[in-house]
Amino acid sequence: MKSILLIGLGRFGKHIAVELNALGHQVMAVDISEERMDECLPYITGGQIGNSTNEAFLTSLGIRNFDVCFVTIGGDFQASLETTCLLKELGAKLVVSRAERDGQAKLLLRNGADEVVYPEKQLAKWAAIRFSSNHILDYISLDEEHAIFEVTLPQDWEGKTVGKIDIRRKYGINILGVKREGKLHLSVTTETQFAKDDTILVLGKNRDLQKCFRI
């Protein structure tokens, strides 16, 4: 369990609060809106109404005591940038800030953010890849070149073993797991045999995955 400071309770911030709560973390939330705070009360450990660009207010929260500080302010990039900068100056261990554009990301990283997230951009990329192919069920980008895909089993793989397919040698792709009847099996060996309606988790370079699975 970690101690989290969450600044900004718009739509994205609220979703973060819900997920952190489900994971069992302690969440202290900050927002200038009492209405937004009230909506998030079921998902947070504590809350403060205040302006996060006010150094005295942030200092009163004890920034050094939090394991992670999220800055999820939407619609006011200046406030997000100032908050990010202040958090780092006050000794925040890890600052994760929201950006909408590459230019914003660069400024945030130069002024205190340890990590930057692009909720709209990242979701758009996921949706474009996920729904533009009949084979892809899920997708996680690891970096510019590598990704993990959950894909439907190619028809001509049915009844064959991982060793027989040998996509690691042919394409440099690793099979991480096989999902069968809703249950994920991660103990994959060369003797693992594929069955109809299996889906598989595969890791590799984007270009190799696209070539192998005709994405």
Side-chain angles (χ1 to χ4, degrees), residues 73-134:
I73 299 170
D76 187 347
F77 179 68
Q78 185 63 35
S80 177
L81 185 62
E82 289 181 26
T83 299
T84 297
C85 185
L86 282 173
L87 285 170
K88 209 61 180 178
E89 289 178 355
L90 293 172
K93 299 173 185 175
L94 176 62
V95 180
V96 181
S97 299
R98 172 187 179 177
E100 297 177 0
R101 298 185 297 276
D102 290 341
Q104 291 182 355
K106 290 178 181 178
L107 286 171
L108 289 166
L109 289 168
R110 289 172 183 168
N111 289 276
D114 297 292
E115 299 286 346
V116 172
V117 293
Y118 295 78
E120 292 86 359
K121 181 179 179 179
Q122 289 163 341
L123 179 58
K125 183 176 181 179
W126 178 88
I129 292 173
R130 163 66 178 87
F131 295 107
S132 64
S133 171
N134 295 328

Side-chain angles (χ1 to χ4, degrees), residues 159-164 178 180 187-194:
K160 296 180 181 179
T161 65
V162 171
K164 181 69 173 178
V178 178
R180 185 170 297 164
S187 299
V188 179
T189 71
T190 56
E191 301 303 316
T192 299
Q193 187 175 42
F194 296 116

